[in-house]
Amino acid sequence: MPRHPVTLVESSAQGFVAFISENTITVTDSTGKTIASTQATEDPSVARIPAAPGNGSIRAATFSLTGKYFAVCTNDKSLVIYATNGWTIQRQLTSEKRTNALAFDPSETHLLAGDKFGDCTQINIVEDTPGQVLLGHVSIVCALAFTHTSPPFVLSCDRDEKLRISHYPSAYNIRAFGLGHTEFVTSVATLSGAPHLCLTGAGDATLRLWDLDGGLLRTVELEPLLQKYYAEGRARCALANSFEDRTAATQRYGVLRVRAAESLGAFIAVVERFPVVIVLPLQDGELGEPVLVDVAGPPTDVAPVDRG
């Protein structure tokens, strides 16, 4: 396990869990045993992961549907796709624009990369061919995901408060927009048990459940749920004596991440500053009452792990 601040966590269907800090990757199995790392180790059972070129921090990472591939992008425009059976580089390239979000398509033949200028580019995992822009936003793409429908739709979220639902791969054919957030949309997730629904989180202190026609089904207001953490002095910034710490009196409820916890039949979410994981059970297409699970400190990310 890494002994430094973790900024991103990704889990796979195979039980891999990738912990990322700056440009370092540490991968464990579901029991917490390290199985691969970009850092040298004397343990021969730990595979060495080739680091992304340059010194740029990793901005986003993702596993493919079955865990066969793992991809990262850095703030110096490097993008690396790994084959997880030996943690070798499958493909490596430099993007023209800084990538901000990643998602493998369900067929595991292509990677979709969303950038800070709003373009989402389809990249062939195996063939060394130029990427093809499939869809565009007019602002930063903050998150990408694919639905569990057949055929799938691609879900893209942006800084201008929108969820876009597009056909795939003919993403010029827009099925719907999800409109209702009043701040940047940071994350989106879907459950295989409810393939026609998705959950978004945003900087406007809400979680919102949508259908794939863009219909808003439920809004979860976070301030009533979490305000007690401010009142009790438990909501705080992670960095002491920083500008962010001096402004901690300003109450914010920005959603960092939403995830689908398949084994629970639920969504999970974490919110900036709060030492809690929010569990939102989904039953018969409806969200149940949120369950708050206290943790030791404010998470920077969250990922479900099925321990079997």
Side-chain angles (χ1 to χ4, degrees), residues 9-270:
V9 182
E10 293 290 332
S11 59
S12 79
Q14 292 175 319
F16 295 145
V17 184
F19 298 90
I20 294 169
S21 176
E22 295 295 330
N23 58 358
T24 300
I25 305 169
T26 302
V27 182
T28 73
D29 60 20
S30 61
T31 69
K33 182 182 184 301
T34 300
I35 59 173
S37 178
T38 52
Q39 295 183 311
T41 174
E42 296 180 357
D43 187 345
S45 68
V46 177
R48 184 70 182 271
I49 303 174
N55 297 313
S57 299
I58 294 173
R59 296 178 60 86
T62 189
F63 281 100
S64 63
L65 183 62
T66 67
K68 183 178 180 180
Y69 298 108
F70 179 67
V72 299
C73 61
T74 69
N75 59 11
D76 58 5
K77 303 181 183 180
S78 294
L79 196 155
V80 182
I81 302 171
Y82 298 97
T84 61
N85 61 352
W87 293 99
T88 56
I89 293 177
Q90 178 73 32
R91 188 166 181 200
Q92 179 176 303
L93 59 155
T94 301
S95 55
E96 295 182 3
K97 305 168 187 176
R98 185 178 295 172
T99 302
N100 203 57
L102 298 170
F104 285 98
D105 68 14
S107 69
E108 297 182 299
T109 59
H110 293 86
L111 176 70
L112 199 61
D115 65 44
K116 64 179 295 185
F117 291 95
D119 289 336
C120 294
T121 302
Q122 184 191 53
I123 299 166
N124 192 296
I125 294 173
V126 178
E127 298 177 7
D128 187 13
T129 54
Q132 176 185 3
V133 176
L134 287 192
L135 63 95
H137 290 247
V138 295
S139 64
I140 295 173
V141 177
C142 299
L144 291 168
F146 284 89
T147 66
H148 296 277
T149 54
S150 182
F153 296 94
V154 58
L155 309 174
S156 51
C157 305
D158 67 25
R159 192 174 179 177
D160 285 346
E161 309 160 6
K162 295 190 300 298
L163 163 69
R164 172 173 164 168
I165 304 163
S166 309
H167 291 259
Y168 184 79
S170 53
Y172 58 85
N173 185 357
I174 302 172
R175 180 181 175 98
F177 285 101
L179 304 176
H181 282 295
T182 58
E183 294 286 347
F184 50 92
V185 185
T186 55
S187 193
V188 61
T190 63
L191 275 164
S192 61
H196 294 281
L197 302 176
C198 66
L199 185 77
T200 55
D204 61 2
T206 67
L207 297 163
R208 298 178 189 248
L209 185 70
W210 311 84
D211 63 32
L212 296 188
D213 292 318
L216 179 59
L217 304 179
R218 170 86 181 273
T219 299
V220 178
E221 300 283 350
L222 295 177
E223 184 173 358
L225 281 177
L226 301 178
Q227 201 282 329
K228 66 179 182 180
Y229 290 89
Y230 277 118
E232 297 168 358
R234 290 193 286 159
R236 61 188 187 275
C237 289
L239 300 176
N241 301 318
S242 66
F243 174 79
E244 290 81 2
D245 193 53
R246 292 196 296 273
T247 62
T250 302
Q251 295 188 7
R252 297 201 301 264
Y253 301 86
V255 177
L256 293 174
R257 182 84 79 167
V258 296
R259 299 277 198 182
E262 295 287 351
S263 62
L264 297 177
F267 293 104
I268 54 177
V270 290

